[in-house]
Amino acid sequence: MPDSLQETPTILHNSSTLHGHQLETSTAPYTEMAQDDLNWKTFFEENSKPNHFDENVKLISEVCQQAAIKKLRVALITSGGTTVPLEKNTVRFIDNFSAGTRGSASAEYFLEAGYQVIFLHRSKSLEPYSRHLVGRSIFDIIEICPENIIVGEKHQAEMRKLTEKYQRYKSSLLMISFNSLSDYLWLLQATAQKMQILGPLALLYLAAAVSDFYIPASQMPCHKIQSSGGPLSLSLQLVPKMLAPLVTLWAPNAFIVSFKLETNEALLETKAKESLEKYHHHVVIGNLLHSRKVYVLLVDRNNSAPEEIRLSDSELESGIEIESKIIENLKIRHDNYYANHKTG
Ligand code: PAZ
């Protein structure tokens, strides 16, 4: 996640073509926050809640309450890109490149590490387990027998392994989807607030690629923009910096990991450190657009030396995913955070 819950390259699409714990209290007074950081309140006043919001928040709340009773860890994983509508009756919107690979892969490794997972993802982006089937047709996997339909011989081993994993973890996985930036922010705020009950058992892993720019509802045309009006000039506003209230107000005791995407390697470490210094959360994971599947840089607020995770060619060839190493690494950091909270 970038600072405003992320800065990402944007692409203009036409929707028809796209698919005994020491708890800090959340009392940071608004008056102490910079004016910039107050804008988040206005954002929620101006943009209405998404459809099915209350039902989704109820599901999220149940997961958090059950986990709190059983003292289980919960990871909120955000995944995929957000849309920025150009019209209230949305025909066109601004989007970004993220397919949700990072988030969906990470969800599987968090589940294997013993976490309950709330997977807040862009609708139709990659999802845990089913992501392994994307790009293949179900009709190439199944075969028709005289009496029934079965998985073809050459897919049996893979499908068995995948289905077994899915069956094992599905009760620990809650999937909630969003489309627009505003839907995403509403759900993020509500989830983080519900996770407060978990104290330091909560981990937020903000991998979604969230737009830094948007058109406020008050400036958005109601109907489809007509080409008869001539060339289109867009003026986008900055999205308020949501990491500030997230860290200080919504989830003050959670272990918070954000992502920082860059295209210029020379900026990566500095930008990741700047984000930590500004928002005082726990870890920023820097990654570069073209090497994000093989290289990340972890910057921890308790350790001035960043740590690199890099996949070797042989690891990559043998199917190892960088997310397995990221989650293994974060689990240790979360363990330490939890232990220190306990005795703190
Ligand atoms: O979804 P994906 O696997 O294609 O990409 C993942 C990512 C690059 C969006 C993620 O690792 C990330 O950096 N998220 C934050 C993006 C940002 O700074 O805007």
Side-chain angles (χ1 to χ4, degrees), residues 141-145 148-153 156:
I141 294 176
I142 56 173
E143 279 173 15
I144 297 178
C145 293
N148 51 18
I149 291 178
I150 59 161
V151 170
E153 185 63 35
Q156 286 275 339

Side-chain angles (χ1 to χ4, degrees), residues 1-2 6-8 98-102 207-208 259-261 287 292:
M1 175 181 93
Q6 326 269 28
E7 56 197 57
T8 50
S98 172
T101 311
R102 175 83 79 221
F259 278 80
K260 172 67 72 181
L261 176 71
N287 57 171
R292 65 190 191 279

Side-chain angles (χ1 to χ4, degrees), residues 261-275:
L261 176 71
E262 292 298 335
T263 54
N264 179 351
E265 186 162 11
L267 294 179
L268 193 61
E269 187 174 335
T270 319
K271 296 285 269 183
K273 284 184 170 164
E274 274 173 14
S275 176

